Amino acid sequence: NQGTTFEILLPMVSGQPTVKKIEAPLSSSKLEGVTVLVVEDEQVVREFICTTLLIQKCHVFSAPEAQAAKEIFAEHGDEIQVLLTDVIMPGMSGPELAAELKDRKPELAVVFVSGYTGDRIDNETLQQADALFLQKPFSVNQLTKALTEAIDQAAK
């Protein structure tokens, strides 16, 4: 005879419940063995991307900002095939980083990711960097597809 009683009233809904389809992860043998440099200042996002790529059997280097990415690239640039970078970061933007790294390795595939780009990226920037753009938030399949397309585009 002590405590609290809650009464929850839910409205009645007519019709059938909708079933949401869950997309199965893409299996991409094209990504197996690919070496990707992930540059993302948000740790949770960086960890999600890196974990996803490791599941796809990629080799992954990660950096929280451009300076660390440049140091990794200086040591492992011959191995790195794809740069996946946030657009807006402290210090140096993703497009600026991509331009600098592509000067050293023109065949580098580039994917920009961002939730908000402001005026820092447009079609001209994407064309100059020969890059693809992936809007945050994105799914595992969208990430896989973008990387696969970037690799194919860089190979042409």
Side-chain angles (χ1 to χ4, degrees):
N1 292 330
Q2 293 182 1
T4 304
T5 301
F6 292 93
E7 186 176 337
I8 299 174
L9 303 173
L10 300 173
M12 290 188 67
V13 177
S14 62
Q16 295 294 321
T18 58
V19 177
K20 184 177 180 181
K21 292 182 180 180
I22 299 173
E23 59 182 73
L26 292 174
S27 175
S28 179
S29 60
K30 282 190 177 184
L31 294 183
E32 188 172 333
V34 171
T35 303
V36 182
L37 173 56
V38 177
V39 189
E40 169 62 60
D41 56 329
E42 292 182 49
Q43 181 178 353
V44 173
V45 177
R46 187 173 63 249
E47 289 174 357
F48 164 75
I49 294 169
C50 291
T51 300
T52 299
L53 296 177
L54 289 170
I55 290 169
Q56 294 286 339
K57 299 181 181 170
C58 293
H59 303 287
V60 180
F61 293 100
S62 70
E65 41 80 28
Q67 186 57 43
K70 290 194 285 185
E71 291 170 9
I72 291 169
F73 197 82
E75 189 172 335
H76 300 282
D78 291 342
E79 304 164 49
I80 296 170
Q81 297 160 280
V82 183
L83 170 66
L84 188 143
T85 181
D86 194 3
V87 173
I88 300 172
M89 298 181 292
M92 177 183 257
S93 73
E96 292 169 332
L97 174 63
E100 187 173 320
L101 297 185
K102 281 189 73 84
D103 279 346
R104 294 189 225 167
K105 187 174 185 175
E107 69 274 15
L108 182 68
V110 178
V111 176
F112 293 124
V113 296
S114 187
Y116 173 77
T117 60
D119 60 355
R120 296 196 186 181
I121 195 164
D122 54 20
N123 285 335
E124 184 179 332
T125 304
L126 291 173
Q127 288 175 349
Q128 286 175 350
D130 195 24
L132 296 178
F133 178 73
L134 184 57
Q135 180 74 41
K136 291 179 192 174
F138 49 82
S139 69
V140 170
N141 283 348
Q142 290 169 322
L143 175 61
T144 302
K145 183 179 177 190
L147 286 170
T148 302
E149 288 177 12
I151 292 166
D152 290 344
Q153 184 172 308
K156 293 179 183 176

